[in-house]
Amino acid sequence: QSVLTQPPSAAGTPGLRVTISCSGSSSSIGSNTVSWYQQVPGRAPKLLIYSNDQRPSGVPDRFSGSKSGTSASLAISGLKSEDEADYYCAAWDDSLSVVFGGGTKLTVL
Amino acid sequence: EVQLVESGGGLVQPGGSLRLSCAASGFSFTNDNMNWVRQAPGKGLEWVSFIANHGRIIYYADSVKGRFTISRDNGKNSLYLQMNSLRDEDTAVYYCSRTHPAVWWLPDYWGQGTLVTVSS
């Protein structure tokens, strides 16, 4: 199965905005929706964004998602120290599998 | 409150077998598709397997196909993962997850995981 590509790390200053990219293929992001998870070390992942840009109830509107072609992005505005975590993108692949990105470790400076 | 509690993890030798269980409560298990997802120590998330609510549609990652079997018992609100011919690279925390109501394949709510260690 294909794997989605994310930068291994990202960093941002409190109060500012940071974006994390996710690159896939025509069989994954190109033809299916993208979701994003937040994972604090030692905890289970938490769904942040589904269907490209939808937030589950309880997720602050500081988190937003977008998709274009075979790529997607997660944006976090008004960065807070509590946002420091690992972030993963995910999509359905037409080879009949769920594919995840390798994860991006976000550091709040 | 949605609860997913995994069990059955532990230390097993290469080539051995293990059966993971996931007890579900707080939602209509019969109506929901389920996934197993794993995470090797210090590594990212890796999808393992999907089973539809009725159990008749099943998918596996290539890395486990032919060795792992997913199943469910809707009468017992339980999900299972039978793991055979285990390899060192199967060492991971295994999470069971309920799928999102609007996205049929998407892991939504996750359990806390159970650790499987394959080592001699």
Side-chain angles (χ1 to χ4, degrees), chain B residues 7-58:
Chain B
S7 61
L11 175 64
V12 60
Q13 292 189 335
S17 298
L18 215 52
R19 188 194 196 207
L20 305 183
S21 299
C22 173
S25 61
F27 66 100
S28 181
F29 181 77
T30 303
N31 291 338
D32 285 343
N33 303 331
M34 301 291 292
N35 284 283
W36 285 100
V37 179
R38 67 185 181 184
Q39 187 170 33
K43 302 297 184 182
L45 302 172
E46 180 188 14
W47 172 76
V48 173
S49 185
F50 165 95
I51 185 167
N53 58 347
H54 45 63
R56 295 189 296 276
I57 296 176
I58 286 173

Side-chain angles (χ1 to χ4, degrees), chain A residues 20-91:
Chain A
I20 297 172
S21 63
C22 175
S23 177
S25 65
S26 58
S27 64
S28 57
I29 295 178
S31 53
N32 298 288
T33 62
V34 178
S35 299
W36 291 90
Y37 297 92
Q38 178 191 61
Q39 186 181 33
V40 174
R43 302 286 299 273
K46 172 189 172 185
L47 184 65
L48 278 183
I49 298 287
Y50 68 95
S51 295
N52 302 327
D53 58 7
Q54 301 298 299
R55 282 185 306 275
S57 62
V59 174
D61 59 7
R62 301 187 296 106
F63 295 90
S64 62
S66 64
K67 172 187 146 177
S68 177
T70 59
S71 295
S73 291
L74 172 71
I76 310 172
S77 59
L79 203 59
K80 300 182 177 182
S81 57
E82 66 208 48
D83 297 332
E84 191 160 286
D86 296 321
Y87 292 83
Y88 295 90
C89 56

Side-chain angles (χ1 to χ4, degrees), chain A residues 12-17 78-81 107-109:
Chain A
T13 304
L16 298 189
R17 184 175 184 267
L79 203 59
K80 300 182 177 182
S81 57
T107 300
V108 180
L109 301 170

